[in-house]
Amino acid sequence: QVQLVESGGGLAQPGGSLRLSCVASGRTLNTLAMAWFRQAPGREREFVAAIGWSLGNKQYAASVSGRFTISRDNAKTSIDLQMNSLKPEDTAVYYCAIDNQGALQVGLVHREWHEYESWGQGTQVTVSS
């Protein structure tokens, strides 16, 4: 139904920056929100940031607030994640997800991974000196 492709991952030093991108294709007309999650080995999937498609309202995990910025391009159904002041704790595989099912509720952005229907393959982010 929907395909998501992430890009932009790589190696950064502590305090450095990376910019991730995610492009959706397929049936994206009912997009409600898009989000970034991350998962480190042996740990559960963790919410990072999300953006609603109606109002553009944003949600951030406390661990990245003030350092990461999520943005969108409605015409292309794509999102970016600008990551600044990177820390070793940010090391993980970052996944893009889209919420495109359910009734539209303006301003609602989910933080739970099971609320999102389609996922990308992930892109590795490593922060190390």
Side-chain angles (χ1 to χ4, degrees), residues 10-104:
L11 176 65
Q13 295 183 344
S17 298
L18 286 173
R19 187 175 184 90
L20 307 182
S21 296
C22 172
V23 180
S25 61
R27 303 185 65 184
T28 62
L29 294 179
N30 293 326
T31 298
L32 303 177
M34 294 184 70
W36 291 98
F37 291 77
R38 66 187 182 186
Q39 188 167 22
R43 303 192 65 180
E44 294 184 347
R45 199 172 343 185
E46 176 188 20
F47 174 80
V48 177
I51 184 167
W53 228 249
S54 56
L55 300 179
N57 52 300
K58 303 172 182 179
Q59 296 280 351
Y60 294 98
S63 58
V64 306
S65 180
R67 300 187 298 119
F68 292 9
T69 302
I70 189 171
S71 59
R72 66 174 179 176
D73 185 337
N74 296 66
K76 297 189 294 186
T77 316
S78 66
I79 57 171
D80 288 350
L81 185 68
Q82 179 65 47
M83 305 185 295
N84 298 327
S85 302
L86 284 165
K87 304 176 180 180
E89 306 92 88
D90 297 318
T91 296
V93 177
Y94 283 69
Y95 295 94
C96 177
I98 186 169
D99 179 7
N100 65 344
Q101 292 184 353
L104 174 63

